[in-house]
Each structure stands twice: as structure tokens, then as C-alpha cells.
């Protein structure tokens, strides 16, 4: 408790800029770049190998790395940026790209010699906001269904095939819950990306051009009402069971047979369960309209205040283009974003399954929507939390939708 | 003479400097900054924009804020009395002249040594899950609650139990207080024919009332600031305070607003409302203490 007070005090101090200090340069013509990313120790080891390669190729540039896990990373990034002390090069999330770009803290990479010519077509222009290039994707992922073939077999259900419709999928859930040993799935209707793909399948979108909500209350009421119905009839696993095993997913605990996620989770899940999971299609309303797109799993950006824009751009170019770096990372940053790195990466096991899935679905993908507006991170969290209250029976659907619209509109306006 | 005294004061100040610097830079400075920020719209990136009392007004229209006040109020109302009762009860037992009391005292104090730690919260989470010790134990006596972690009606009581279990701090203070009560008071009462219950009511409680008051004050202030257990156990989908907002204690919501939503102005205003609220309750307690707190040596 006292820790919390101290942390808050320290943060406020940082925010007030009292401890802000400038950049640092070594003497002798060597340039030092600060580079921050989120990830774990595994990624740190891969990153260090790549940085070593970069420094060997560019003896006049020294890279000082630092990393945290995702949540802590953004808290630190916010305070550092506010104190005018952002790192030169930083890992960026698609959901935060516009938030940071709109606040003029990111460098327009078009003003540098950054090399983005080899990006696969789906990623050309993906990090652009209002014509300026604020981030370059290092890899991508796609929304997909994970399923556990053994659990489906227990229930006497066939594995889902391409072109499966939502009605067929919901019937599958029903059969698994009734005849199998587990629940059919988890409440995917509480996840905003499921809702987005459902909107995209109907030609709609999550956010309008000017950054407001792109759907109506009635659409969301309809969507959440069905979710609640499936919680009640036992197709979805109850919320209290999910809450207890967090942050693990119920699918790695053999509690459900199907789940929707970004496909890069597949590698992580493979390490958490003995079950042989598979990647399957996202169900559709009309065949062919998948509503899916290749989302940048992460991007690299540079700070607008960096003293070394060209060197920063050089580091970014190296990290996305160099074949050796591609081999080092494999699918750790998502399936690589440039042709050269895709060719170089040796993908095995789960990574190979993800790559195969992405290749199969490539012709059915649509262009990624523009970077989400400022406040999108808050909207995403509110969507999940409020839908969860419905799952618990704590809110009626229309009230929950009202609460969501109020919070989301507030977050997007701020 | 004056000169020496002056020099003494200078030396005193010099020795105080580390503390003074810490106080000014780490406590008073940030507090004043946060007071200023509480009247602004501040998102960490752009310069703070003065909006007067708007943050304070907005709290009363914010359903999650009101929820956090309700949850925290419930937590304080349950955790403080329970913890105080446990502390006093165990202190009374440990005050008996028995062999091995030193060992028992250490054993009962041990949980408080671990403090509000993250690892303890994780242990708590695992023993209150489906099919874990608590669920099975209660099931054996016919109470089927399931795990407490994921159930909105049980998650707050789970946090209350964690707080009550760490009664070591107030217990030690109670124990010291009990030792201070002169034995002749009990002897006199016994001679007058007072039984154990009467002796407790008429001697122990009044003599202990300053210590009870002190503990009550500290525990209430501490309980209002509960953070670690709620944050670690119940941060799940969509931020802290899960399941379904049932553990959304004040500081967790404050943290969410400040560090996830970047509403630092609003979070600062929340912090000051907490200071005001706790200050008000403390003042009220001091008021009532005149009636029930008995200081030895005072005329009744």
C-alpha cells in the first residue's frame, strides 16, 4: 500500500518533468541510440543477437536496449514521453499508433531514408497516419479460430472447414456442450476483435474515418444478446470459471473446444498445453466475406525528438529487412513483414502452422483498417469488461450497451 | 551562548537535510503537483489544461467511481472489525501465563511479516479457486460455494479474509497494551466478586481503550488504501476490479484511470477525494473518542 503511494509520487514527479534529463552522446563520433521494446527474456535474447549484428555492420552506432512486459512498457513509455525523454527507437502497438502520432511524439519516417520497399503488399502503407509514416510493421497476425480436435472428436463433431457459417459454428458449440466433455467455446462476443470481424463481414467497420464508433447501439445489443443466450444455455464456458484461471486461457486447460484469437497466440498456447491444437477459419455470414485482415503484430517507430533520425531509421530498416535478423526471430514478432525475412525465417512446429494458415487465407484477406483512433485501447478494455458484466448477469444487455457507449464516446473524445 | 545555540540549530538542520530533502521532493512537492493537476485535464502528453472543479464534479456521474466507493466502503466495514476482533482475541489468549507463549506469539505474527506481498496474493488466489482447499473444505461440511476467485459475491469476502489473517500488527500493540494494565485492578475486581466477563468489560476494555482507538485509526486508514491484494488477485479482462467490478477498490480504479487511461487529472482528483474522505472519518473518530476512550490518570 505504501509502495503504491511511493510509485504514484514518483510517477507524478516524473510527469512534472522534475527529473527529465537530456540524451547522451559518446565522444569520438559514436552515436548512441536508446531502443525500447516489450517482450520477455526469450525475445530479449533474440533482440540482443540482432543488435550485435547491427552494431557489427555499423561500428559508429551503439544501441542501448531496454525492455519490459507489455503493460509496464506502456506505463513507462507514457511517463518517459511526457518527460520529453522518449527512447530514439521504440516498439509500437497498432492500437497506440494514432494515440502517439496525434500527440506529435513520433517521427515521420518518410523524412528519413528508411527502407520499406520490401514489405509484403498487405503491409504497404499500414503504419501511415494522415500521409505520414509513423511506424513500420515487423510482423503480422490474423484473427482466427483455435480448436482442439480431440475434444471435437469426443463429441462426435467434425473439424470446422473453410467457409463454415456462424449458424453451423453455433450448432457445433451446442453439440460439443451437450455430447462432449467440455464447453463448446468461450464468450467470443465479449472480445472487440470478434465484433470487428463480424462488422467487417457485413461491410461495416469499428471506427469511422473521424474516429467515432462505426456501429449502432442496436447492432451491439443484438450481438451481446446472443452472447448472453449462449452463456445461459451452456455453449460458452461460464465467466467465473474463466476468471479463476486467468491469465491462462480455458483452451489450454482443456475446458473448451474452440476459441478465437490472433494467430500468434498459437505458438504461446503450444507451450502451455499438451493438447494438439489446430488453427481453423473464422466463420462467415456469406461465403468469401471473411472480414479478416493482416494486422501488424508490432511496429517500430522513432521519437520525434531524437537527435539521430537517420541512425534510428537505419536501425529500423535493419531490423525489418536483414535476412539474418529474420532467421533469428522466426515467428517471435509474428510472421515476418518483408519478403526477404519471410524467405530467410525457418519456421517449425507452431510457427509453421501459423505461416501455413496465413498463406491459405491470404487471398481472402482485405486491407487492414486505418490505425485505430486515440482512446481505442480504453474502448477495447471497456468492451471486454462491460460484456463480462453481462456474462455474470450483473447488467441487462441494453443497460450494458448504454454504459459502453458512454464510456467509449468519452474515451474517444478525450 | 547564542552563537553556540545557533550552531546547534545549524547542525541539527544539516543532519535533518536528507529527510527534509526527501520530504520536500518526494512527498510535499508531488502532493502539491497532484493538487494542481486535480483541477486540470491532464493526459501526460499535452500540457495540463485548467478545468476548475470539473474532475470533482464528474466523479459523481461516473458509475465506476461510485462502484469503487461502494466496494471500498464495504471492504473497510468488513475488514477492519474482523481484523481488530481477531487481533484482540489472539492477544488476550497470548497474554495468559502459559508455557511456550513466545513461540505462539511469533507464529501468530508471522503472516503479517509477509505483508501485502504479491506472492501471498497469488497463494490466496490459488487456495480460493475451484476445487482448491477452501472449496473442498467447505464442500466437506456441506457448503458448496465453488471457488471464490471468479464469483462476484465471494471475491470481496476473500480479500477481507486475507486482510483479517494479517492481524499481527494490531495484535502486538494490543498485547503491549494488555501488559500495561496493573494486576491490582484485576485483583481488586476479583475481590469485589467480578467474574471473568465482568473483569473484561469493566477493567480490560476501558484500560485498553486508547490502544483500541489507536489501532482502529491505523487500520481504517490502511484499509481505505488497500491495493496489492485486489490488484494482483482480481486484475483480469478489461483492467482491474474483476470479477464484474466486485473488487474494484478505490486505489485500483485510481490506478486504472491514471496509468491505463492516462487521465492523470482525474486520478489526482480521486486521490484528493480519498484524502478528504479519510480525513473526515478520522476527524469523526477523534470526536467520538472523547466519549469512549479512557486515559489512565484522567478523572472520569
Amino acid at each position: 500500500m505504501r509502495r503504491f503511494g511511493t510509485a504514484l509520487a514518483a510517477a507524478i514527479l516524473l510527469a512534472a518533468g522534475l527529473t527529465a534529463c537530456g540524451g547522451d552522446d559518446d565522444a569520438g563520433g559514436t552515436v548512441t541510440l536508446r531502443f525500447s521494446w516489450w517482450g520477455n527474456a526469450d525475445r530479449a535474447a533474440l533482440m540482443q543477437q540482432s543488435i550485435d549484428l547491427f552494431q557489427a555492420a555499423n561500428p559508429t552506432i551503439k544501441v542501448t536496449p531496454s525492455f519490459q512486459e507489455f503493460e509496464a512498457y506502456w506505463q513507462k513509455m507514457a511517463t518517459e514521453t511526457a518527460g520529453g525523454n522518449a527512447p530514439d527507437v521504440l516498439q509500437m502497438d497498432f492500437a497506440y499508433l494514432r494515440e502517439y502520432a496525434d500527440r506529435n511524439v513520433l517521427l515521420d519516417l518518410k523524412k528519413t531514408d528508411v527502407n520499406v520497399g520490401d514489405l509484403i503488399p498487405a503491409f504497404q502503407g499500414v503504419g501511415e497516419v494522415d500521409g505520414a509514416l509513423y511506424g513500420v510493421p515487423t510482423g503480422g497476425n490474423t484473427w482466427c479460430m483455435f480448436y482442439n480436435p480431440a475434444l471435437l472428436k469426443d463429441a462426435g463433431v467434425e473439424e470446422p472447414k473453410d467457409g463454415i457459417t456462424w449458424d453451423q459454428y453455433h450448432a457445433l458449440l451446442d453439440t460439443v456442450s451437450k455430447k462432449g466433455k467440455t464447453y463448446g467455446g468461450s464468450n467470443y462476443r465479449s472480445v472487440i476483435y470478434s465484433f470487428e470481424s463480424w462488422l467487417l463481414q457485413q461491410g461495416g467497420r469499428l471506427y469511422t474515418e473521424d474516429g467515432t464508433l462505426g456501429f449502432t447501439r442496436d447492432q451491439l445489443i443484438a450481438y451481446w444478446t446472443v452472447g448472453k443466450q449462449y452463456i445461459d444455455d451452456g455453449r460458452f464456458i461460464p465467466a467465473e470459471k474463466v476468471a479463476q484461471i486467468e491469465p491462462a486461457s480455458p483452451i489450454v486447460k482443456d475446458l473448451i473446444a474452440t476459441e478465437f484469437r490472433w494467430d500468434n497466440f498459437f505458438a504461446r498456447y503450444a507451450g502451455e498445453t499438451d493438447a494438439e491444437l489446430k488453427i481453423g477459419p473464422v466463420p462467415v455470414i456469406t461465403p468469401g466475406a471473411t472480414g479478416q485482415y493482416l494486422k501488424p503484430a508490432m511496429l517500430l517507430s522513432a521519437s520525434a525528438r531524437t537527435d539521430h533520425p537517420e541512425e534510428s531509421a537505419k536501425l529500423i530498416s535493419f531490423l525489418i529487412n536483414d535476412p539474418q535478423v529474420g532467421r533469428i526471430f522466426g515467428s517471435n514478432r509474428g510472421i515476418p513483414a518483408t519478403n526477404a525475412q519471410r524467405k530467410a525465417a525457418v519456421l517449425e512446429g507452431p510457427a509453421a502452422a501459423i505461416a501455413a494458415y496465413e498463406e491459405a487465407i491470404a487471398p481472402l484477406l482485405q486491407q487492414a483498417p486505418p490505425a485505430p483512433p486515440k482512446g481505442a485501447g480504453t474502448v477495447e478494455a471497456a468492451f471486454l469488461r462491460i460484456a463480462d458484466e453481462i456474462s455474470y448477469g450483473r447488467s441487462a444487455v441494453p443497460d450494458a450497451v448504454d454504459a459502453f457507449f458512454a464510456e467509449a464516446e468519452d474515451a474517444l473524445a478525450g | 551562548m547564542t552563537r553556540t545555540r545557533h550552531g546547534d540549530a545549524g547542525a541539527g538542520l544539516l543532519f535533518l537535510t536528507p529527510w527534509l530533502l526527501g520530504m520536500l521532493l518526494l512527498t510535499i512537492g508531488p502532493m502539491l503537483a497532484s493538487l494542481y493537476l486535480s483541477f486540470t485535464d491532464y493526459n501526460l502528453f499535452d500540457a495540463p489544461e485548467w478545468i476548475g472543479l470539473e474532475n470533482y464534479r464528474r466523479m459523481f456521474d461516473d458509475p465506476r467511481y461510485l462502484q469503487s466507493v461502494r466496494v471500498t466502503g464495504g471492504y473497510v466495514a468488513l475488514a477492519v472489525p474482523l481484523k481488530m476482533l481477531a487481533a484482540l482475541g489472539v492477544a488476550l489468549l497470548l497474554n495468559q501465563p502459559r508455557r511456550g507463549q513466545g513461540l505462539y506469539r511469533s507464529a501468530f505474527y508471522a503472516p503479517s511479516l509477509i505483508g501485502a506481498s504479491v506472492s501471498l496474493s497469488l497463494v490466496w488466489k490459488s487456495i480460493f479457486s475451484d476445487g482448491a482447499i477452501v472449496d473442498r473444505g467447505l464442500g466437506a461440511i456441506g457448503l458448496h460455494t465453488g471457488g471464490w476467485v471468479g464469483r462476484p459475491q465471494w471475491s470481496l469476502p476473500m480479500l477481507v479474509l486475507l486482510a483479517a489473517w494479517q492481524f499481527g500488527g494490531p495484535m502486538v500493540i494490543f498485547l503491549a497494551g494488555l501488559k500495561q494494565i496493573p494486576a491490582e485492578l484485576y485483583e481488586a475486581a476479583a475481590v469485589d466478586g467480578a467474574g471473568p466477563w465482568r473483569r473484561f468489560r469493566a477493567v480490560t476494555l476501558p484500560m485498553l481503550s486508547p490502544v483500541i482507538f489507536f489501532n482502529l485509526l491505523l487500520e481504517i486508514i490502511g484499509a481505505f488504501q488497500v491495493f496489492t491484494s485486489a490488484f494482483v488477485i482480481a486484475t483480469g479482462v478489461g483492467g482491474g476490479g474483476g470479477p464484474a467490478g466486485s473488487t474494484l477498490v478505490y486505489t485500483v480504479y485510481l490506478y486504472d484511470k491514471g496509468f491505463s487511461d492516462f487521465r492523470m487529472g482525474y486520478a489526482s482528483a480521486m486521490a484528493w477525494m480519498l484524502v478528504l474522505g479519510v480525513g473526515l472519518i478520522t476527524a469523526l473518530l477523534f470526536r467520538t473518542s472523547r466519549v469512549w476512550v479512557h486515559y489512565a490518570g484522567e478523572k472520569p
Side-chain angles (χ1 to χ4, degrees):
Chain A
M1 287 172 281
R2 222 152 285 150
R3 288 275 159 69
F4 172 74
T6 317
L8 196 67
I12 290 167
L13 203 70
L14 271 176
L18 291 177
T19 61
C21 44
D24 49 331
D25 274 340
D26 295 335
T30 307
V31 166
T32 303
L33 291 181
R34 286 170 56 221
F35 174 29
S36 298
W37 73 88
W38 71 82
N40 56 12
D42 291 347
R43 182 173 292 160
L46 305 178
M47 201 64 96
Q48 193 55 52
Q49 291 176 36
S50 309
I51 290 172
D52 290 344
L53 282 177
F54 176 75
Q55 291 181 148
N58 301 275
T60 55
I61 307 178
K62 190 173 169 293
V63 179
T64 318
S66 96
F67 73 98
Q68 277 90 26
E69 52 90 26
F70 191 80
E71 295 281 316
Y73 176 82
W74 288 108
Q75 286 157 14
K76 186 168 178 221
M77 191 55 68
T79 43
E80 280 189 344
T81 310
N85 198 27
D88 299 284
V89 178
L90 55 134
Q91 196 167 300
M92 178 53 60
D93 187 65
F94 201 45
Y96 286 105
L97 183 66
R98 187 174 275 272
E99 188 133 20
Y100 277 74
D102 281 359
R103 287 173 170 146
N104 301 318
V105 292
L106 298 182
L107 180 70
D108 178 5
L109 291 167
K110 279 189 177 165
K111 294 184 179 150
T112 67
D113 289 333
V114 72
N115 176 7
V116 292
D118 193 37
L119 285 176
I120 59 165
F123 274 151
Q124 296 283 351
V126 142
E128 287 185 19
V129 174
D130 303 330
L133 182 64
Y134 291 115
V136 182
T138 61
N141 49 27
T142 308
W143 196 242
C144 72
M145 181 204 293
F146 294 148
Y147 63 92
N148 184 327
L151 294 180
L152 292 182
K153 203 174 162 209
D154 281 343
V157 182
E158 276 189 32
E159 293 180 24
K161 295 204 177 58
D162 284 351
I164 181 175
T165 65
W166 285 107
D167 288 341
Q168 288 167 333
Y169 172 67
H170 295 146
L172 176 151
L173 292 179
D174 195 36
T175 315
V176 173
S177 299
K178 285 192 177 130
K179 295 193 182 153
K181 297 171 186 157
T182 62
Y183 295 96
S186 55
N187 185 4
Y188 68 84
R189 290 184 179 233
S190 65
V191 182
I192 203 166
Y193 295 109
S194 277
F195 185 56
E196 182 183 37
S197 71
W198 184 75
L199 289 172
L200 290 169
Q201 288 179 355
Q202 305 168 73
R205 31 190 304 197
L206 199 53
Y207 298 109
T208 60
E209 295 283 349
D210 38 332
T212 56
L213 294 176
F215 53 90
T216 64
R217 280 166 201 253
D218 287 342
Q219 280 178 302
L220 187 55
I221 288 177
Y223 198 67
W224 277 351
T225 302
V226 175
K228 174 65 176 154
Q229 184 191 327
Y230 291 169
I231 287 256
D232 291 342
D233 70 13
R235 284 179 228 221
F236 291 153
I237 183 171
E240 59 263 23
K241 292 207 186 282
V242 181
Q244 297 181 36
I245 55 167
E246 271 167 1
S249 152
I251 200 165
V252 304
K253 305 269 179 192
D254 291 346
L255 294 171
I256 56 173
T258 64
E259 184 180 68
F260 293 94
R261 286 284 170 184
W262 293 107
D263 59 13
N264 60 332
F265 273 67
F266 193 69
R268 190 178 124 186
Y269 283 1
E272 295 178 4
T273 178
D274 295 332
E276 294 277 332
L277 299 182
K278 282 191 180 174
I279 306 179
V282 175
V284 293
I285 301 168
T286 42
T290 60
Q292 285 176 268
Y293 59 91
L294 189 64
K295 174 178 165 287
M298 57 193 74
L299 307 102
L300 289 172
S301 300
S303 162
R305 297 206 196 181
T306 177
D307 294 329
H308 315 292
E310 284 309 334
E311 287 82 358
S312 298
K314 215 176 228 178
L315 176 62
I316 293 173
S317 303
F318 187 83
L319 288 173
I320 64 161
N321 290 308
D322 187 79
Q324 275 179 285
V325 172
R327 196 169 308 130
I328 289 169
F329 276 103
S331 72
N332 183 283
R333 304 181 295 182
I335 304 299
T338 56
N339 294 311
Q341 288 197 342
R342 282 198 172 206
K343 219 174 286 167
V346 184
L347 302 176
E348 289 168 336
I354 299 170
Y357 169 72
E358 286 199 2
E359 200 165 311
I361 194 148
L364 295 172
L365 294 182
Q366 54 185 73
Q367 183 68 31
K374 209 192 294 189
T378 307
V379 174
E380 185 183 333
F383 193 92
L384 201 53
R385 169 166 45 75
I386 294 172
D388 215 35
E389 289 185 6
I390 301 175
S391 305
Y392 273 112
R394 285 264 168 139
S395 285
V397 174
D399 297 343
V401 170
D402 283 347
F404 171 75
F405 268 76
E407 267 193 55
E409 281 165 0
D410 184 46
L412 294 171
Chain B
M1 275 310 267
T2 353
R3 201 176 231 178
T4 331
R5 216 172 270 161
H6 211 82
D8 281 352
L13 273 180
L14 194 66
F15 278 113
L16 271 178
T17 305
W19 179 85
L20 274 178
L21 277 181
M23 182 77 185
L24 281 175
L25 291 178
L26 295 176
T27 307
I28 294 180
M31 277 182 77
L32 290 179
S34 94
L35 183 61
Y36 164 68
L37 289 177
S38 76
F39 298 111
T40 65
D41 183 8
Y42 180 49
N43 60 18
L44 278 179
F45 295 91
D46 307 316
E49 186 190 333
W50 185 268
I51 54 169
L53 289 170
E54 182 61 18
N55 282 328
Y56 292 89
R57 199 198 56 71
R58 227 181 270 171
M59 282 178 210
F60 296 94
D61 296 335
D62 177 354
R64 293 204 87 208
Y65 176 80
L66 299 175
Q67 166 81 359
S68 79
V69 171
R70 269 195 302 274
V71 169
T72 310
Y75 176 83
V76 173
L78 288 172
V80 172
L82 205 61
K83 186 173 180 180
M84 296 272 292
L85 280 178
L88 182 57
V90 174
L92 284 170
L93 288 177
L94 292 181
N95 197 33
Q96 317 270 338
R98 294 252 162 90
R99 234 191 304 165
Q101 285 291 39
L103 189 71
Y104 289 123
R105 278 175 206 155
S106 315
F108 277 109
Y109 189 72
S112 308
L113 282 177
I114 321 172
S117 74
V118 172
S119 53
L120 191 62
S121 303
L122 290 173
V123 169
W124 217 250
K125 182 173 183 174
S126 71
I127 67 177
F128 279 93
S129 290
D130 270 352
I133 304 171
V134 173
D135 184 14
R136 267 185 292 161
L138 290 176
I141 56 167
L143 284 171
H144 296 280
T145 59
W148 291 23
V149 176
R151 291 180 169 73
Q153 67 273 37
W154 288 108
S155 49
L156 193 65
M158 175 182 69
L159 298 184
V160 166
L161 283 181
L162 176 55
W165 181 58
Q166 299 186 309
F167 56 75
M171 180 199 75
V172 167
I173 300 173
F174 275 135
L175 202 53
L178 287 171
K179 299 248 177 250
Q180 295 294 318
I181 303 176
E184 58 266 29
L185 286 183
Y186 288 109
E187 284 159 14
V191 169
D192 288 347
W197 173 243
R198 190 69 207 269
R199 285 202 296 272
F200 177 70
R201 288 265 335 257
V203 179
T204 312
L205 276 186
M207 293 302 288
L208 206 57
S209 60
V211 178
I212 296 177
F213 178 59
F214 175 78
N215 270 339
L216 187 65
L217 216 54
L218 282 194
E219 291 306 321
I220 286 181
I221 293 172
F224 269 108
Q225 299 176 41
V226 58
F227 180 75
T228 312
S229 56
F231 184 73
V232 173
I233 296 179
T235 294
V237 294
S246 60
T247 61
L248 187 71
V249 296
Y250 201 94
T251 50
V252 166
Y253 187 48
L254 194 162
Y255 177 85
D256 259 12
K257 272 288 159 193
F259 290 93
S260 298
D261 296 355
F262 303 145
R263 298 275 168 106
M264 277 296 169
Y266 191 78
S268 300
M270 279 187 68
W272 279 96
M273 275 304 262
L274 183 63
V275 170
L276 280 179
V278 174
L280 199 68
I281 288 172
T282 312
L284 279 176
L285 266 179
F286 266 102
R287 261 289 156 88
T288 63
S289 75
R290 291 177 199 164
V291 181
W292 62 273
V293 177
H294 167 86
Y295 290 99
E298 253 177 27
K299 294 265 184 263

